[in-house]
Amino acid sequence: MFRLSSIASAKLTYNNPNIADLSDRNRPQKLGEMFGELYDNEWTDAVDRLTEIMEEKKAIILLRDVLQYIYEKTKKASEDQYRNLQNALFQRDLRNSEMKNFIPIYKKIGEMQKEVAAISIDNTKQALRIDSDFMLPFESVILYGEPYVDRCVELCWRMHIQDPPMILDFSSSSEIVDKAMFRLFTRSGEYVDFVVWPALLLHENGPLVQKGVVQPLKSKSTLKSH
């Protein structure tokens, strides 16, 4: 009876972002709050330090690009880890028709990823330090904003191992500021100059968890000459 109930529960909650596990300290709602704190704290400190050696816009774009690199890197690493765990269990790729029979096991794989997340995050931090594609363009961020880098790794990894994964949206889809998705940075305006901070979505094409931040141009005439 317990086993049947567990399977029914797994089928209900697996890959369903609308059912939150309130015992999970790293559930999407909490990750959203921590992502906001990353912007308010470590990001702000890193901007303050970087602007001692470069102009503000360059520092902001550099920090955004660091986050985007880490987001993409941890996405691939977490997917590879999940695939390796799946292959270790099944020794082959399952056909779509078979997958529905193993929903509780897929749920266990996700739980296993969460249980070893701290180790995975530490390994990723170390890997970045020997990744020339990261260190060469972003060395100044490591020197002046290491806490920011480490926090980006932690949150991005935990976002990727949610069921389904959370999404960072770094793009502004039009030249006009989408105020439903982004708030303004230091000035008013209707037209996007650059994205400061990505929007956070619950899952792909899902509801907004945290608004992003954009810096608008001062006027449309500035846009034409930009």
Side-chain angles (χ1 to χ4, degrees):
M1 181 69 174
F2 174 76
R3 181 174 177 274
L4 291 174
S5 298
S6 297
I7 291 172
S9 175
K11 287 182 177 179
L12 181 65
T13 60
Y14 175 71
N15 220 32
N16 187 342
N18 297 313
I19 299 178
D21 179 1
L22 298 180
S23 66
D24 184 0
R25 292 178 296 178
N26 294 299
R27 61 188 182 274
Q29 180 186 3
K30 290 296 183 182
L31 289 175
E33 293 171 5
M34 288 187 276
F35 191 62
E37 291 167 0
L38 168 63
Y39 178 74
D40 291 338
N41 299 321
E42 288 88 353
W43 181 88
T44 300
D45 291 344
V47 170
D48 288 345
R49 296 201 65 195
L50 284 170
T51 49
E52 296 173 6
I53 60 168
M54 64 183 70
E55 63 176 12
E56 184 183 66
K57 180 176 179 178
K58 182 178 179 181
I60 289 169
I61 291 175
L62 193 65
L63 290 172
R64 181 202 65 199
D65 290 349
V66 163
L67 174 58
Q68 188 163 11
Y69 185 95
I70 290 171
Y71 175 76
E72 296 297 338
K73 196 79 171 180
T74 51
K75 181 177 189 292
K76 183 180 186 306
S78 63
E79 288 173 349
D80 287 347
Q81 183 187 65
Y82 189 96
R83 192 175 301 110
N84 289 338
L85 288 168
Q86 175 186 313
N87 291 341
L89 289 171
F90 298 115
Q91 280 100 47
R92 64 181 175 84
D93 290 333
L94 296 179
R95 296 189 299 272
N96 288 336
S97 60
E98 296 177 293
M99 288 182 179
K100 64 180 182 295
N101 299 321
F102 296 98
I103 288 175
I105 296 175
Y106 277 105
K107 183 176 172 63
K108 289 293 184 183
I109 294 174
E111 290 172 354
M112 190 181 302
Q113 275 195 299
K114 291 181 180 182
E115 287 171 4
V116 301
I119 296 172
S120 303
I121 289 164
D122 285 343
N123 290 341
T124 304
K125 290 176 183 177
Q126 293 174 30
L128 279 178
R129 270 48 174 194
I130 58 173
D131 179 0
S132 59
D133 290 338
F134 180 77
M135 290 299 298
L136 291 176
F138 302 129
E139 182 180 12
S140 58
V141 179
I142 292 290
L143 292 173
Y144 289 87
E146 188 170 22
Y148 170 77
V149 172
D150 287 345
R151 193 64 170 150
C152 286
V153 172
E154 180 180 349
L155 291 181
C156 284
W157 186 275
R158 293 192 186 280
M159 289 173 187
H160 288 310
I161 62 174
Q162 298 302 307
D163 291 324
M166 301 177 79
I167 300 293
L168 291 183
D169 185 351
F170 290 85
S171 65
S172 179
S173 59
S174 70
E175 66 179 33
I176 299 175
V177 175
D178 181 355
K179 294 182 179 177
M181 289 283 288
F182 294 92
R183 54 191 174 89
L184 304 181
F185 187 46
T186 60
R187 60 176 177 244
S188 300
E190 296 297 321
Y191 299 92
V192 176
D193 185 358
F194 59 93
V195 173
V196 174
W197 192 248
L200 175 61
L201 306 179
L202 183 61
H203 54 83
E204 189 171 5
N205 300 319
L208 183 70
V209 177
Q210 287 275 338
K211 279 189 175 184
V213 181
V214 295
Q215 181 71 305
L217 292 164
K218 292 180 181 178
S219 66
K220 192 167 185 179
S221 61
T222 311
L223 176 68
K224 292 176 180 177
S225 62
H226 186 63

